[in-house]
Amino acid sequence: MQPSRARVRRARSLLALTVCAATALTVSLPASSPARAAANAPSRAAATAGPGDRDDWRVVDLGNGSYQVSWTSPKDLPLTSDRPTITGDGLSFSAPTVGSDGRTVTAVVTSATKPVTDDLDVVLSGDRLDEAGSDVAVSGDGTLPSRVLTELDAADPGTPGPYATVTSDYDETPVKLPGMRRPIEMIGHVVEPAPGESTGPRPLVLFLHGRHSVCYDPTGSDDGNGRWPCEAPLEEIPSHLGYDYVQRVLASQGYATVSIRVNGINAQDWRLPDGGADARAAIVREHLDRWVGLAAAHQLNLDRVVLVGHSRGGEGVDRASIQIPASAPYRIAGQVLLAPTDFAWHTAPYVPTVTVLPYCDGDVFDLQGQRFTDVARDLAPGDTSLKSSVMVMGANHNFFNTEWTPATAVAPSWDDWGGDRDATCGRRHPDRLRPAEQRAVGTAYIAGAVHLFAGEGDYAPLFDGSPVTVDSIGDAEVLSHAIGGGRSIRRPGIEARPTIGSGDVDLRLCSGVVTWSSSFANCGRNSPYGVPHWVSDGEQAPSRKFLELSWTSAGAVGGLRFTRPLDLSTERLELRTLVDAAYDAPDVQVRISDSSGGSAVLDPLPGTEPQRLPLIDYGTKLWASTVAVDATGASGVDLTDITAVELVAGSPRGRVWIADVSAAPEAPPAPQAQRLPQVRVRSVEVAEGAGGTQLAKIPFTVVGNLTRAARFQAFTAGQDRGQLQRLTIDLAPGQKSGYIPVEYEADDVYGYDQQTLVALWPLTGVATDDYLGQLDVIEDDPAPTLAVEVTRTVREGEPITFRITRDGATSVSSYAFGVAVRTRGANLRGVDVPADWLADHGDASDPSRPLWKTYTGVFGELPVRRDRLTLTIPTRRDGRTEGAEFLGVRLEVDGEVQRYRIRVLDSD
């Protein structure tokens, strides 16, 4: 059955992340820009916009097919790691900005016609903020099939070690960071082995919390309404203390730990286009620089630094790992990212990375942290660092931090997962983890990763898809998969093509794109599901190829044939496999074949059968679990020459997608010290000039030495349709700079400043650091003059008029907005104007009030082809002798403000 039209729109609203939401492109118009003036003026434009528009939305025509859309929430937006996103079917938006009021979300859209606000939505963490109710977790089957698990053959990393620990805190001189008006605190909470403990050199583990509220009132519910710094009686929320439970376990095992506080960044990152990732990376480096001078006193081994980042802190530490050069006095041995954001589609090449994904994350709802694994697969040739994703069933976003968890936090806190309490992920569902259970999983997997990064390879099975567990996590269900780590990988569409299937089977290569179209080129066609591996239709980020395999009878066979054989004589076969949520988890075997025609059919290792994850309406994740096969005992096939791997269906029907196939070594390789060169894009400003089509160049630089060819992708979005482009840019060995071409139109008629935004994505051989830039084309033609003529005195029953005339050529509309303000004398009241007019232009609930108390206003647009505009405020003749009354009006025309005082006399 096809979904209804309304249902289709709802699903797209939730999942179609628009072009620049993923890349954090931001429109920031300078105060002097005519576009800024126009955007400020029509603050009531939507009220007169037409059918299909809603009062809480505003749409401003910026010219050239570009519109600024904004939505104002009736209450303050929550301070979360995810960012509110404006979406609309078939439209491409800039990334959103949140206004200084903490309630208004704004973006710019390129469209052939003015957007109808009824077709737009504001989505935060999977929920439409502009619609009543919750879109999250309204129903679903939350049962994950039981698996065969064995105990990890190593000490349980979640249990305390033998060493006594000590705790201390430091508070040093705040640091000024770019883009932040106020300096950022240098505060750290230290837990380490006691000075007398003979641990040997101690690796340093640094924790960075994510984006959360920053102030609270110990005596009430006031949160300061976003004011920073916190003002008495408000106190700071100690988010950095929320990982003390993990720090104590690590310290008892012989590691030094520090958790740093970044409330100053959380309070100010709303103004930064990258969401504050670069600022967080900078503060991480500031703290590490501090520890260089303390290494000897604390017995530190700074060649083994592990970074742990939660939420936006995860993206921040990854950015630090990209930026820290090999020549630094410390080395990042690995990083653990808890429920991270990845707005930039970054990943740190050559740095072992474990990304923990909570299935019930109600904040970073799309589990975009999966990108840290997937992007790494194709990025750095020769990168053998482990990239692992760990899916924690029943875990939410907040409960990894005790200061974000009810009952353990000093400040108000909450469960970030919404919806039905008894449905999948609801707090009363039997598979939902309690806070203490979630912390136990966090402790075990953070500590396990730290041990692995410190060279203890016995902990690898926790992260490579092996069906293992440890006692400290109880019955918690945790899945994992990995790439890198010395694996020899075969990628669909690159080193692997579909085999010729047999039986009732359909197999093809498809692009990892979620769409409501029926195109077989896309894996996620006619579907609301696709996170976290696939991009949404309309998103401009690069997608990857998958093998789609579906069947309608048992015995069907299909898979991938390789351009280069795999050697399975000593290595384990792994298939990262996504299961269609519309089917039960399939029963499959794996057939391996060599180039001579020999083959063998093998069972997956117990506990690694394909997993269908629990259903959640508009929230089900299609995530690749590991199907693992030990082929070492197979006969009839040359294990050193495996040229094809296929699935043999045991179930009567099903559908899966294979992300890649690899041969995994028994032990991870030695760490790598090199770092990948980085591309950094800049912003540039040029005068418009004249003469028609002009070419501007947005420059980029390459930091580091390119020793081989590299490639990245650039996406540009401007106010003209020709400026929406996606370019693949090749870099030659040794190249240090280049530019991204953008055309614009230059004329001799006054118009808006033109702005084109650019975002970079890494493809192969190069990382991206400063990935956001822009071109500003500054209008240099003379502006037309605007004159205002106002009737200063009228009698009751006569209209008050504001006549606005424009002299001079222009290509943009002008806007005028007048609002009643308090003035001297007896102020005109609601009863002094017609009731129906007041109902359309202000608050008519109490007409006895002065007009300035009813928020009365008038708005008008002066289109390009006209040169006169009249705004009218009618008055009403009441037949009473009252003497002179007065109306104060604040009139704003294209950003220029004047105040007027109009006298209203009794009628004759």
Side-chain angles (χ1 to χ4, degrees):
M1 183 178 72
Q2 290 295 323
S4 69
R5 183 181 181 88
R7 185 168 182 146
V8 168
R9 178 179 172 270
R10 176 173 178 244
R12 288 181 64 102
S13 297
L14 295 179
L15 294 175
L17 298 179
T18 55
V19 45
C20 303
T23 59
L25 283 178
T26 304
V27 170
S28 178
L29 298 173
S32 59
S33 165
R36 179 59 133 182
N40 287 340
S43 57
R44 297 176 63 91
T48 58
D53 285 336
R54 294 174 283 177
D55 288 343
D56 48 355
W57 285 87
R58 305 289 181 261
V59 179
V60 177
D61 186 350
L62 299 180
N64 299 322
S66 186
Y67 298 86
Q68 179 174 283
V69 294
S70 61
W71 174 78
T72 300
S73 169
K75 59 184 179 180
D76 289 346
L77 296 170
L79 194 65
T80 64
S81 288
D82 199 11
R83 55 171 50 172
T85 302
I86 298 180
T87 68
D89 290 348
L91 299 175
S92 293
F93 294 83
S94 72
T97 57
V98 177
S100 57
D101 62 356
R103 298 190 299 124
T104 301
V105 184
T106 301
V108 172
V109 58
T110 301
S111 175
T113 60
K114 180 179 179 179
V116 177
T117 59
D118 230 17
D119 295 333
L120 305 179
D121 280 310
V122 178
V123 181
L124 177 65
S125 302
D127 187 33
R128 290 173 297 164
L129 301 181
D130 58 315
E131 300 285 353
S134 172
D135 295 310
V136 182
V138 295
S139 66
D141 173 14
T143 302
L144 187 71
S146 59
R147 298 188 301 144
V148 176
L149 300 175
T150 59
E151 289 291 324
L152 178 72
D153 190 18
D156 186 341
T159 59
Y163 302 111
T165 65
V166 293
T167 299
S168 61
D169 297 271
Y170 60 84
D171 185 350
E172 300 192 350
T173 304
V175 176
K176 191 72 174 69
L177 296 180
M180 300 285 183
R181 293 179 180 176
R182 294 184 176 271
I184 308 305
E185 68 268 35
M186 280 286 291
I187 292 176
H189 175 66
V190 181
V191 185
E192 59 188 329
E197 296 288 351
S198 300
T199 61
R202 303 165 181 174
L204 176 65
V205 183
L206 183 147
F207 289 77
L208 176 63
H209 66 83
R211 193 171 194 260
H212 193 72
S213 303
V214 295
C215 302
Y216 78 105
D217 185 350
T219 64
S221 59
D222 181 23
D223 64 359
N225 195 30
R227 295 189 302 272
W228 178 256
C230 303
E231 300 174 359
L234 301 184
E235 297 180 7
E236 287 196 49
I237 295 177
S239 292
H240 67 304
L241 301 182
Y243 313 102
D244 180 80
Y245 69 98
V246 191
Q247 290 183 262
R248 291 180 181 275
V249 171
L250 286 169
S252 73
Q253 295 172 353
Y255 299 94
T257 72
V258 59
S259 182
I260 66 176
R261 196 176 79 191
V262 290
N263 281 343
I265 294 177
N266 285 349
Q268 301 178 85
D269 65 0
W270 58 270
R271 69 180 78 246
L272 299 176
D274 70 351
D278 190 58
R280 292 179 173 89
I283 207 69
V284 166
R285 297 180 67 175
E286 291 284 349
H287 280 270
L288 291 178
D289 290 343
R290 174 194 182 272
W291 280 98
V292 171
L294 301 173
H298 291 261
Q299 305 177 49
L300 300 183
N301 176 6
L302 292 183
D303 282 336
R304 288 185 172 177
V305 174
V306 177
L307 304 179
V308 181
H310 184 189
S311 198
R312 288 202 191 185
E315 187 166 11
V317 301
D318 182 81
R319 189 81 170 266
S321 294
I322 291 173
Q323 294 175 353
I324 293 170
S327 58
Y330 39 80
R331 186 182 69 83
I332 307 304
Q335 56 184 4
V336 184
L337 314 177
L338 299 174
T341 61
D342 191 7
F343 299 128
W345 296 72
H346 280 165
T347 193
Y350 307 109
V351 178
T353 302
V354 168
T355 302
V356 178
L357 304 173
Y359 193 78
C360 301
D361 194 323
D363 187 348
V364 185
F365 185 78
D366 58 353
L367 302 187
Q368 60 187 253
Q370 178 62 39
R371 299 168 187 167
F372 291 108
T373 298
D374 289 349
V375 171
R377 189 193 70 176
D378 308 323
L379 185 57
D383 181 3
T384 61
S385 66
L386 178 75
K387 297 293 191 295
S388 168
S389 291
V390 175
M391 181 69 76
V392 184
M393 307 306 300
N396 75 351
H397 187 86
N398 283 353
F399 290 176
F400 290 114
N401 186 311
T402 58
E403 294 299 334
W404 299 358
T405 305
T408 58
V410 298
S413 54
W414 55 90
D415 181 355
D416 52 274
W417 186 266
D420 188 340
R421 293 177 295 177
D422 296 307
T424 304
C425 291
R427 66 174 182 266
R428 294 196 304 209
H429 191 278
D431 291 337
R432 175 66 190 273
L433 296 181
R434 294 186 294 273
E437 294 172 327
Q438 182 167 330
R439 291 197 296 271
V441 174
T443 301
Y445 278 82
I446 293 170
V450 171
H451 282 279
L452 179 63
F453 301 153
E456 299 179 55
D458 290 345
Y459 289 91
L462 285 173
F463 308 101
D464 65 7
S466 297
V468 299
T469 188
V470 292
D471 287 339
S472 64
I473 71 170
D475 294 330
E477 186 67 65
V478 182
L479 305 169
S480 66
H481 66 229
I483 61 168
R487 284 166 174 75
S488 179
I489 198 162
R490 301 295 180 266
R491 301 166 293 180
I494 302 178
E495 304 95 355
R497 308 292 298 181
T499 60
I500 298 175
S502 63
D504 295 324
V505 66
D506 184 17
L507 66 163
R508 60 170 56 84
L509 294 180
C510 60
S511 296
V513 176
V514 182
T515 176
W516 280 109
S517 80
S518 301
S519 171
F520 282 94
N522 298 317
C523 303
R525 58 192 176 274
N526 294 320
S527 174
Y529 308 126
V531 298
H533 292 283
W534 299 342
V535 301
S536 296
D537 191 18
E539 222 173 346
Q540 298 298 320
S543 61
R544 293 169 181 79
K545 295 291 186 181
F546 291 73
L547 174 72
E548 180 179 322
L549 173 66
S550 59
W551 63 93
T552 54
S553 65
V557 180
L560 290 167
R561 185 169 300 280
F562 311 137
T563 59
R564 293 182 293 110
L566 283 177
D567 184 350
L568 299 180
S569 60
T570 60
E571 299 187 342
R572 186 176 79 173
L573 178 66
E574 296 176 355
L575 298 85
R576 291 202 299 158
T577 307
L578 295 76
V579 175
D580 190 337
Y583 299 87
D584 292 332
D587 177 21
V588 298
Q589 293 178 298
V590 179
R591 184 169 76 182
I592 56 176
S593 303
D594 60 29
S595 61
S596 300
S599 66
V601 177
L602 307 169
D603 291 322
L605 291 174
T608 71
E609 298 83 5
Q611 297 290 313
R612 188 203 74 169
L613 301 187
L615 286 169
I616 307 173
D617 276 2
Y618 300 99
T620 300
K621 278 72 176 177
L622 295 184
W623 185 77
S625 61
T626 301
V627 176
V629 175
D630 180 2
T632 53
S635 59
V637 63
D638 182 355
L639 294 177
T640 67
D641 181 38
I642 300 302
T643 57
V645 171
E646 298 169 293
L647 296 184
V648 181
S651 305
R653 58 195 297 266
R655 181 162 67 164
V656 300
W657 295 269
I658 296 176
D660 39 55
V661 178
S662 59
E666 185 174 351
Q672 297 168 288
Q674 67 262 47
R675 292 293 181 263
L676 208 60
Q678 304 153 32
V679 174
R680 298 177 180 176
V681 68
R682 292 169 48 200
S683 296
V684 64
E685 184 177 290
V686 299
E688 177 194 2
T693 302
Q694 304 292 320
L695 179 67
K697 301 176 180 180
I698 302 177
F700 64 80
T701 57
V702 178
V703 179
N705 296 318
L706 280 173
T707 58
R708 64 175 74 190
R711 175 175 291 178
F712 68 92
Q713 198 167 88
F715 174 73
T716 67
Q719 291 162 234
D720 292 331
R721 286 175 182 76
Q723 294 168 339
L724 190 69
Q725 57 181 350
R726 183 164 59 181
L727 307 172
T728 297
I729 298 175
D730 291 304
L731 300 173
Q735 185 171 344
K736 286 294 186 180
S737 63
Y739 66 88
I740 298 161
V742 175
E743 291 184 346
Y744 69 93
E745 294 301 316
D747 57 30
D748 55 4
V749 177
Y750 177 79
Y752 293 136
D753 293 348
Q754 301 176 54
Q755 186 178 74
T756 299
L757 309 177
V758 61
L760 308 185
W761 287 281
L763 293 179
T764 183
V766 67
T768 51
D769 183 14
D770 295 332
Y771 66 102
L772 297 173
Q774 67 186 51
L775 165 69
D776 288 305
V777 179
I778 305 303
E779 177 60 55
D780 54 8
D781 298 309
T785 58
L786 292 164
V788 180
E789 180 184 348
V790 182
T791 51
R792 298 287 186 162
T793 301
V794 300
R795 291 192 178 274
E796 288 180 348
E798 296 176 349
I800 300 169
T801 58
F802 300 82
R803 293 183 176 87
I804 302 163
T805 58
R806 182 172 57 202
D807 182 19
T810 181
S811 64
V812 298
S813 296
S814 293
Y815 297 92
F817 175 52
V819 62
V821 295
R822 191 173 188 174
T823 190
R824 304 185 311 277
N827 280 240
L828 210 63
R829 296 176 298 154
V831 294
D832 296 319
V833 297
D836 56 349
W837 184 90
L838 180 61
D840 289 338
H841 293 80
D843 178 5
S845 60
D846 183 4
S848 66
R849 294 181 298 173
L851 284 178
W852 63 268
K853 283 191 174 183
T854 66
Y855 309 103
T856 296
V858 287
F859 166 79
E861 177 184 357
L862 183 56
V864 172
R865 298 183 184 278
R866 294 175 54 192
D867 56 13
R868 288 180 175 82
L869 168 68
T870 300
L871 302 180
T872 301
I873 301 175
T875 64
R876 177 175 165 270
R877 180 182 301 179
D878 57 20
R880 293 183 298 177
T881 302
E882 300 169 300
E885 297 171 287
F886 298 90
L887 175 64
V889 175
R890 179 187 182 274
L891 181 67
E892 183 175 347
V893 182
D894 281 0
E896 297 294 329
V897 177
Q898 294 289 336
R899 288 178 178 263
Y900 299 94
R901 184 170 182 259
I902 296 96
R903 183 172 59 173
V904 181
L905 303 178
D906 294 333
S907 60
D908 292 336

